[in-house]
């Protein structure tokens, strides 16, 4: 297609940028052919004119559609170029936090500089067994691919990990090895995988160091071969190392460190074992302080040292060797501190007694003189003589450093050699996987010999990589029958020839090293002369004559020639080596022992095991000594070892991991585009992209193409043949046929074609969207118009109605206004008239009144004059009276005041005394009454005073009359008074004085009245205060009572909550204990199987006649073992013992040691359980002894009567005896098989016994409350019961306190209250409380009387019981006269009638009495049981004596006795007691002992569920086996019972081992085992099981043996079968789940298929043979129908279904979390639909209550999370509340993986994900990402009795059981 079709407006392109390398822009104008400028707009809105190169006219790279951004595989991108690759990696790394990405066959790993939770065991299990394209990119996927190809193709594999220092190569290699160790495991128990992993800390400590780019940089290359056997288990490993950086031992740059081991030694110098090394801090040594930063943040060197030492121990390097290694390392540090001084310009000297040199010599075991001498001298040899020459200081220091490097290199080689020896296996290696951890391409400012070798190695690896990629491309084209066109790719063979060919750089370097006066300068000149003009890849720098430039595949690198020769020769003073060889230190001598034989003294090519050591023969033309072989140069050695490595890699299938360092600052999730592009160019990723882009990089299957681009097809274009449909459509869409090719199964596209198709698809969808929008908008507008029209009509209707109503209202108001006006006017006129009338009347009234007043005033004046005269006369009389009265009153006041003072003084004295307060408090009521009486007296006194006042007034009136008379008399003498003025004046004064006296008298009267009123008010106030205090006390009392009730209620609620919580906790503990117990059973079964396998291997090893004989198939031995089942065990034991002696050198003994250790642990656990059982049984026996004593005291003389009732109560006694034995045997069985776990029968029995004891304890408490007088004795009798029961919170005891105790507490509380100061002020409340105390005392008396009455009633009952006893004895005496049979029947009939009547009476009268009666009967039954045991023992003893006597008589008489016919007829009558119903069929099957093998073989081993067993009733084998067991119990043959049960259990185990992968077989025997277990319970005779039986079934209960122990064994067997069933079911379901739940499109057309890369993913479209949801449902139906057909218990089916749904949900969710292509909106809809189908299946099967739906809740929430809106904070809140079943890690993972399938969807923003993390940070949950798919819920087997009668079962002839006889 033309460029104008792609470079249109709004198309996005990439343009170069200096900062970001590539920058995105958008075209604002269409591009036309010939345009020299593109009009662009950057993402920040800035416009830009981009000028095209006029020479090439190349357009900028197009940007991929957003839907393709973030793909797992870079080759899935439509446009394959550098900016697309860089952007895709950046988006995945920064936005999605994904560090792994595929690039074709290469895995690109970006170092996150942060610990990620993606390497756990759950992730390993998730990737195990998966195809490489089915999961998200991961190092585990590459490892799984290598492991799978090794097993499938039987070809060795290699994983090549490369990258810069700090890119994460070592960690990636470590995780790959961890994956192999976890997935494959080891063939034996020698833990080879642990040893392989343990080699990592050792190699990191001695080969890794801190650099400026990496804190744990590997300074050597290594290739680890992990060996596997034929079963692909790890058997060993081997390691090769390359080019150790020895110079780091003596020199480190700034901010760098030496090798870790030196700092670990210095950090551990304080340990006692390191004191002899005389170490100090790292800053004390020259070799460890040059970097000036000896500490790594977050790394504890002392702790790392401990890890290193533990790894040494695990690899078999003992403490002595370790100390030797540390001794050599410490000596190297001391050697670096040796100070060399100048003697003169040509010589140097080490001062004598140098401390560090002395320590060095001491540690190395050499002499001080020799070492100090040869450090400053060297030996020169000529043809005739040898002489010693001193060397200057600089050369001496270099010689010292060379010696240190040489020692460290030898030590490094020795450690690698011993690691390989520890990892070596004697088993023949079948295949291996190699992991190559090698340095990537390096270029620095100054590049030397090390960088040259590293880049040379990368050139070789890149060549191998290019050839492999090219080969894969060619194979893909040939497979699809695509015409092959030669793809041009970069071939770096010329560069390799420049380095390694004849007269190449290395060849010239070796030649220069052989020259006597060779130098770096002369070597550089030779390079210039040889290659400068002949090789285009070789250049000379302009400004230097001591450097050269090589054009590598990644970049140009300039190398400095200085030091090349010295590093290539790597010379060491031979005399120094000789001094070390003469050492007394054995390990040092061992290091230099094979100096002449070693390939490299530098460690450049260590190769233990003969893998990397080269045996190079000397040239025939030269007669050189063998001792000079070690003079081989480093370059030659490295070239040879590299050649060997390339041969190894070429012989294997390679897998590539390219590690990228995102930034130089070690910042977490920070991406530097410049550094990333540089590394992508260097590691070959872009070359892979270029090779892929040169051909057909995009590949689609026809089905995928049809599904994706169906929208571009018309209906007439769709044919039945989808291949032809795709061809026709593609020919129409893409005109250029060279842009695509049709293969057999795929369509191949050129680069950019998928983007073009996506553009067409998006345009078509956009046009469809526009049409849909147009239609919907039209519909919305019309709906809006109609709605507006309807609204307008409605408004008009309402407005018009409103107007009409307004008019009517106006008319009504007008009429009302007229009426109002009429009445208003009338009112005004009427009012005016009335006002005028009233005014006239008022005027008349006023006038008349004035006239009357005038008349009245005249009359009044006259009357007043008369009155004045009268008053004057009266006044004179009253004056005399007042004077007399005043004198009398004054006298009274004085007397009363004197008395009041005395009374006041007395009251004050009383008020100060304590007794007064006591009396006041005690008699406050009396005081109140007295005050009331005083008030009454005062009132009476007031009344008397009033009467006196009246009397005085009367007398005053009389006196006034008398005075009037006197005035009248005096009138006559008025004339005389006028004459006498003085007398008048005196009279006036006397009058004034009398008035004053009168006023004073009135004031005193008023004061007395006020005082009386005040006193009355004070009394009333005091009474009201007392009443208020009384009311307050009552209120407070009520509050206290309410508070007590509330506290009691709170305490009750608290205790109930505590009980509920404790119950819940106990249930959880029970489930955990049950799960732990079942896991132990699984482990036990696994050990048993392993033991059997080892036993078979030992037997086969013993029976091998010749070493070369091939062993037979394991199935052969298992088939043979079926026929010789019983006799095999003893023979196999003999064979195993012989095999152990013969094969000690073959088998690994660690397994036996572990098994022995496990057996000893189990024995210790068994012994502890046995001790606990003995202790509890001893306590039980002591309790029983105390019970016996009490019963004997209580019962007395009733033993004779109870012994006669033996036959009457035989069944009850047997049951109690069985309960007791069952509890003991269950506890004993728990000690042996761990049956004490919760849920086991022993635990259930013990729990039932404890519950019964608790019920009895409650009854005893009620008796204690009734019979209070016997409390002490009853407590003593119950002590042993409380020791055997668990402490429970008795809430009732809080409410059932004894009355005496309550009263005493109330009395003490009242006493304390009375003494409190607050109540001293409240006497009325005290009186009330005292009255309450009296009330309580009266209640106590009443309670005592009621108790006495109850005691009397009990005495009466006791008397009646004695009478009943006497009556029974009389009846018994009568029965004794009857025959034995009639006697038993009569006594039974009578006793049953009596007991029935008593029970009915007691139960109807009083349930409590009935319960107490049952307890008494239970005690009697216990006594009877003990007596029965004694009598049974006596009977058995007499029988034995009888047999002995009979035997003696037979021996004496020779067995021939003359017996009379009468004797022969009578003898059999007495010993044989035949039941009456023995002739009837009792549901038993009889067989002979020798037929047991035949029975087991026919009913178990050879019974096939799909054959004969199809037509059988469910559980028939279990019923048959139980009926046989019943007969063995009936005849009391314990050997037969034990043998039958053992054979049945072993046979079931055997058939499961043989056919354990067949679901029908496992389900069949799970159902039958459970039925057999239920039969043992149902017919055991236990009351808890018998209550479900019919009377006929109860007759069939076992009578002689207690099989509780075997019930536990069968329960364990059922658990094992259940777990086997789950595993079998999981193996069947596992392949279906991902395909059916995730990949299959249940709703067709909802999701589209995205483009795929070279890492082919499983298509979402179901092809033929793939699994769908219907496949899963059909399989679930199959499982369910099989289990129902086999008669599996419904509760067990529910547990199986719950486990099935958990596996489906867990596997689906785990795959969803690891597959980016599955996290989309449409896939969420598919998942929800699939889950709804599973729920519908549950409803159809009536299994909604089994808990299966809840197990799918995490998957449902994950699907909802994919579909909900993910933008705002409200959405985040909704997600947090919705996803409560998902962990935070799972929610964030789903959001990070969410990928739009169509262009209309949007990605989740990083800000939104951070909001989710912030909201969920307070959650307390496990950080685990994936669900545990290996989790198996603990199983329980609820008792399910059968209604089938045993006597009705018929045995079909098809079972071949004719030898069984019905009994």
């Amino acid at each position: 297609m033309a460029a104008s079709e792609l470079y249109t407006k709004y198309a996005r392109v990439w343009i170069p940028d200096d900062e970001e390398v590539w920058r995105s822009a958008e075209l604002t104008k269409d591009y036309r052919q010939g345009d020299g400028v593109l009009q662009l707009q950057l993402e920040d809105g800035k416009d830009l004119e981009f000028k095209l190169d006029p020479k090439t006219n190349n357009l900028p790279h197009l940007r991929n559609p957003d839907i393709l951004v973030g793909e797992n595989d870079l080759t899935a991108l439509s446009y394959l170029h550098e900016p697309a690759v860089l952007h895709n990696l950046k988006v995945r790394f920064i936005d999605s936090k994904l560090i792994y990405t595929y690039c074709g066959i290469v895995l690109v790993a970006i170092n996150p500089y942060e610990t990620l939770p993606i390497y756990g065991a759950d992730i390993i299990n998730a990737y195990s067994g998966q195809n490489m394209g089915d999961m998200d990119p991961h190092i585990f996927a590459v490892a799984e691919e290598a492991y799978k190809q090794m097993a499938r193709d039987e070809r060795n594999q290699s994983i090549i990990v490369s990258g810069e220092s700090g890119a994460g190569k070592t960690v990636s290699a470590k995780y790959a090895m961890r994956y192999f160790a976890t997935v494959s495991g080891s063939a034996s128990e020698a833990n080879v995988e642990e040893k392989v992993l343990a080699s990592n800390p050792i190699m990191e400590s001695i080969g890794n160091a801190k650099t400026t780019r990496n804190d744990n940089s590997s300074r050597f290359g290594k290739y680890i071969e992990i060996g596997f056997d034929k079963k692909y288990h790890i058997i060993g490993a081997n390691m090769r190392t390359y080019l150790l950086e020895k110079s780091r031992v003596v020199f480190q740059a700034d901010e760098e460190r030496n090798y870790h081991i030196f700092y670990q030694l210095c950090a551990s110098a304080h340990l006692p074992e390191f004191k002899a090394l005389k170490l100090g801090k790292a800053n004390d040594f020259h070799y460890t302080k040059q970097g000036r930063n000896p500490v790594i943040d977050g790394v504890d060197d002392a702790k790392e040292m401990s890890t290193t030492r533990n790894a040494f121990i695990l690899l078999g390097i003992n403490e002595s060797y370790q100390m030797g290694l540390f001794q050599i390392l410490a000596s190297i540090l001391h050697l670096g501190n040796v100070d060399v001084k100048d003697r003169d310009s040509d010589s140097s000297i080490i001062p004598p007694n140098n401390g560090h040199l002395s320590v060095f010599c001491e540690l190395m075991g050499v002499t001080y003189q020799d070492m100090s001498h040869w450090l400053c001298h060297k030996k020169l040899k000529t043809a005739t003589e040898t002489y010693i020459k001193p060397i200057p200081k600089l050369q001496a220091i270099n010689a010292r450093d060379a010696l240190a490097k040489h020692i460290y290199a030898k030590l490094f080689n020795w450690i690698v050699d011993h690691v390989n020896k520890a990892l070596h296996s004697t088993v023949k290696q079948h295949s291996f996987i190699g992991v190559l951890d090698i340095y990537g391409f390096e270029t620095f400012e100054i590049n030397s010999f090390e960088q040259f070798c590293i880049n040379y190695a990368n050139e070789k690896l890149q060549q191998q990589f290019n050839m492999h990629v090219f080969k894969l491309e060619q194979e893909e084209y040939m497979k699809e029958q695509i015409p092959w066109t030669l793809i041009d790719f970069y071939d770096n063979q010329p560069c390799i020839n420049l380095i390694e060919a004849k007269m190449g750089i290395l060849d010239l370097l070796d030649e220069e090293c052989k020259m006597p006066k060779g130098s770096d300068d002369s070597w550089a000149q030779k390079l210039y002369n040889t290659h400068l003009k002949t090789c285009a890849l070789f250049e000379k720098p302009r400004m230097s004559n001591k450097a050269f430039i090589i054009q590598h595949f990644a970049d140009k690198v300039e190398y400095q020639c200085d030091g090349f020769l010295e590093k290539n020769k790597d010379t060491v003073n031979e005399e120094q080596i000789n001094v070390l060889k003469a050492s007394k230190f054995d390990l040092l001598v061992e290091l230099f022992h094979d100096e002449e034989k070693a390939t490299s003294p530098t460690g450049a090519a260590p190769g233990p095991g003969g893998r990397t050591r080269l045996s190079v023969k000397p040239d025939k033309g030269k007669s050189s000594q063998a001792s000079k072989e070690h003079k081989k140069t480093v370059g030659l050695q490295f070239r040879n070892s590299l050649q060997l490595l390339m041969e190894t890699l070429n012989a294997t299938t390679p897998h590539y991991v390219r590690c990228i360092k995102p930034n130089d600052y070690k910042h977490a999730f920070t991406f530097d585009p410049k550094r990333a592009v540089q590394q992508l160019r260097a590691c070959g990723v872009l070359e892979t992209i270029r090779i892929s882009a040169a051909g057909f990089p995009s590949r689609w299957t026809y089905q995928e193409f049809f599904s994706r681009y169906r929208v571009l097809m018309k209906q007439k274009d769709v044919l039945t043949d989808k291949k032809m449909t795709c061809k026709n459509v593609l020919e129409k869409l893409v005109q250029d046929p060279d842009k695509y090719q049709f293969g057999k199964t795929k369509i191949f596209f050129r680069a950019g074609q998928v983007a073009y198709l996506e553009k067409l698809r998006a345009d078509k969808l956009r046009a469809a969207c526009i049409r849909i929008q147009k239609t919907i908008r039209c519909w919305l507008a019309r709906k809006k118009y109609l709605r507006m029209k309807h609204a307008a009509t409605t408004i008009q209707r309402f407005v018009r109605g409103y107007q009409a109503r307004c008019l009517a209202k106006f008319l009504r108001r007008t009429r009302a206004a007229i009426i109002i006006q009429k009445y208003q006017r009338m009112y005004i006129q009427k009012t005016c008239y009335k006002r005028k009338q009233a005014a006239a009347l008022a005027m008349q009234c006023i006038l008349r009144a004035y006239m009357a007043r005038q008349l009245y005033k005249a009359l009044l004046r006259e009357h007043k004059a008369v009155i004045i005269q009268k008053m004057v006369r009266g006044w004179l009389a009253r004056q005399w009276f007042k004077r007399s009265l005043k004198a009398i009153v004054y006298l009274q006041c004085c007397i009363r005041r004197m008395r009041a003072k005395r009374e006041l003084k007395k009251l004050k004295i009383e008020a100060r005394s304590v007794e007064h307060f006591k009396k006041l408090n005690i008699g406050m009521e009396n005081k109140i009454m007295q005050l009331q009486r005083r008030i009454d007296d005062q009132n009476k006194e007031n009344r008397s005073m009033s009467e006196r006042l009246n009397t005085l007034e009367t007398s005053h009136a009389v006196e006034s009359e008398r005075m009037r008379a006197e005035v009248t008399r005096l009138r006559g003498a008025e004339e005389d008074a006028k004459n006498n003025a003085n007398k008048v004046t005196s009279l006036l004064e006397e009058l004034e004085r009398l008035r004053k006296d009168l006023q004073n008298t009135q004031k005193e009267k008023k004061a007395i009245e006020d005082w009386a009123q005040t006193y009355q008010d004070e009394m009333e106030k005091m009474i009201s205060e007392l009443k208020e205090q009384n009311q307050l006390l009552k209120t407070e009392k009520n509050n206290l009572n309410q508070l007590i009730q509330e506290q009691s209620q709170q305490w009750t609620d608290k205790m109930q909550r505590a009980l509920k919580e404790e119950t819940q906790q106990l249930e959880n503990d029970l489930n955990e204990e049950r799960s732990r117990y079942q896991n132990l059973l699984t482990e036990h079964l696994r050990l048993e199987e392993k033991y059997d396998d080892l036993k078979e291997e030992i037997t086969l090893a013993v029976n091998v006649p010749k070493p070369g004989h091939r062993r037979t198939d394991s199935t052969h031995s298992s088939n043979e073992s079926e026929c010789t089942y019983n006799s095999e065990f003893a023979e196999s034991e003999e064979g195993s013992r012989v095999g152990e002696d013969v094969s000690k050198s073959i088998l690994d003994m660690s397994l036996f040691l572990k098994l022995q250790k496990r057996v000893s642990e189990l024995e210790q656990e068994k012994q502890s359980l046995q001790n606990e059982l003995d202790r509890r049984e001893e306590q039980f026996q002591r309790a029983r002894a105390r019970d016996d004593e009490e019963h004997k005291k209580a019962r007395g003389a009733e033993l004779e009567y109870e012994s006669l009732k033996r036959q009457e109560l035989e069944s009850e006694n047997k049951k109690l005896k069985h309960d007791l034995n069952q509890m003991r045997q269950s506890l004993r069985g728990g000690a042996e098989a761990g049956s004490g776990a919760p849920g086991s029968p022993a635990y259930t029995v013990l729990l039932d016994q404890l519950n019964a004891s608790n019920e009895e304890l409650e009854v005893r408490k009620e008796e204690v409350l009734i019979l209070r007088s016997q409390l002490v004795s009853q407590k003593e009798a119950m002590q042993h019961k409380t020791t055997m029961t668990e402490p429970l919170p008795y809430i009732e005891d809080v409410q059932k306190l004894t009355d005496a105790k309550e009263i005493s507490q109330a009395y003490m509380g009242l006493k304390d209250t009375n003494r409190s100061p607050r109540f001293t002020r409240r006497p009325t409340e005290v009186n009330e409380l005292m009255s309450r105390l009296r009330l309580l005392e009266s209640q106590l008396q009443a309670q005592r009387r009621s108790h006495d009455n109850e005691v009397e009633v009990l005495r009466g009952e006791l008397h009646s019981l004695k009478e009943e006893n006497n009556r029974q004895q009389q009846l018994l005496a009568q029965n004794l006269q009857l025959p034995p049979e009639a006697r038993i029947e009569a006594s039974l009939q009578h006793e049953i009638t009596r007991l029935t009547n008593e029970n009915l009476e007691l139960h109807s009268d009083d349930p409590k009495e009935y319960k107490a009666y049952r307890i008494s009967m239970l005690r009697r039954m216990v006594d009877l049981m003990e007596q029965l045991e004694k009598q049974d023992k006596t009977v058995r003893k007499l029988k034995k004596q009888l047999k002995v006597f009979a035997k003696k008589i037979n021996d004496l008489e020779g067995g021939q006795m003359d017996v009379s016919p009468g004797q022969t007829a009578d003898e059999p009558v007495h010993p044989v007691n035949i039941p009456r119903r023995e002739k009837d069929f009792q549901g038993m099957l009889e067989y002979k002992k020798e037929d047991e093998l035949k029975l087991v073989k026919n009913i178990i081993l050879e019974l096939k569920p799909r054959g004969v067993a199809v037509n059988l009733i469910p559980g028939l084998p279990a019923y048959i086996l139980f009926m046989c067991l019943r007969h063995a119990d009936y005849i009391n043959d314990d050997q037969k019972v034990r043998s039958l049960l053992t054979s049945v259990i072993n046979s079931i185990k055997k058939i499961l081992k043989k056919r354990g992968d067949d679901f029908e077989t496992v389900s069949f025997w799970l159902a039958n085992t459970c039925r057999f277990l239920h039969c043992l319970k149902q017919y055991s005779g236990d009351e808890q099981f018998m209550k479900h039986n019919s009377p006929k079934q109860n007759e069939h209960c076992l009578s002689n043996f207690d099989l509780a122990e075997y019930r536990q064994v069968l329960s364990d067997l059922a658990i094992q079968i259940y777990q086997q069933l789950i595993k079998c079911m999981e193996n069947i379901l596992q392949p279906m789940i991902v395909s059916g739940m995730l990949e299959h499109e249940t709703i067709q057309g909802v999701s589209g298929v995205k483009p795929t890369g070279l890492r082919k993913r499983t298509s979402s479209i179901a092809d033929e043979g793939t699994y769908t949801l219907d496949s899963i449902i059909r399989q679930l139906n199959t499982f369910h129908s099989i289990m129902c057909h086999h008669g599996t218990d419904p509760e067990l089916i529910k547990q199986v279904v719950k486990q099935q749904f958990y596996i489906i949900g867990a596997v689906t969710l785990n795959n969803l979390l690891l597959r980016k292509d599955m996290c989309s909106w449409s896939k969420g809809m598919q998942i929800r639909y699939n889950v709804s189908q599973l729920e519908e299946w549950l409803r159809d099967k009536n299994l909604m209550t089994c808990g299966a739906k809840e197990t799918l809740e995490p998957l449902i929430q994950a699907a909802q999370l994919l579909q909900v809106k993910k933008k705002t904070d409200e959405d985040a809140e909704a997600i947090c509340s919705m996803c409560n079943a998902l962990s935070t890690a799972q929610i964030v993972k789903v959001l990070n993986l969410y990928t739009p399938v169509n262009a209309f969807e949007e990605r989740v923003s990083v800000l939104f994900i951070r909001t989710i993390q912030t909201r969920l940070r307070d959650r307390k949950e496990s950080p685990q990402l994936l669900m545990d798919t290996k989790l198996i819920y603990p199983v329980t087997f609820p008792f399910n009795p059968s209604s089938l009668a045993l006597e009705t079962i018929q045995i079909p002839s098809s079972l071949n059981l004719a030898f069984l006889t019905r009994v």
Side-chain angles (χ1 to χ4, degrees), residues 419-431:
V419 168
N420 286 332
K421 287 180 181 178
L423 299 178
H424 180 68
S425 174
T426 57
V427 181
K428 184 179 179 182
Q429 179 176 295
H430 178 260
S431 56

Side-chain angles (χ1 to χ4, degrees), residues 526 529 718 733 763 948 982 1495 1560:
K526 288 183 180 181
N529 297 333
V718 179
L733 296 176
D763 293 342
R948 288 174 62 190
N982 294 329
L1495 171 65
E1560 285 195 42

Side-chain angles (χ1 to χ4, degrees), residues 156 225-229 235-237 427-432 611:
N156 297 328
E225 290 183 358
I226 302 174
F228 298 86
D229 59 7
I235 58 173
V427 181
K428 184 179 179 182
Q429 179 176 295
H430 178 260
S431 56
F432 71 85
R611 287 190 177 271

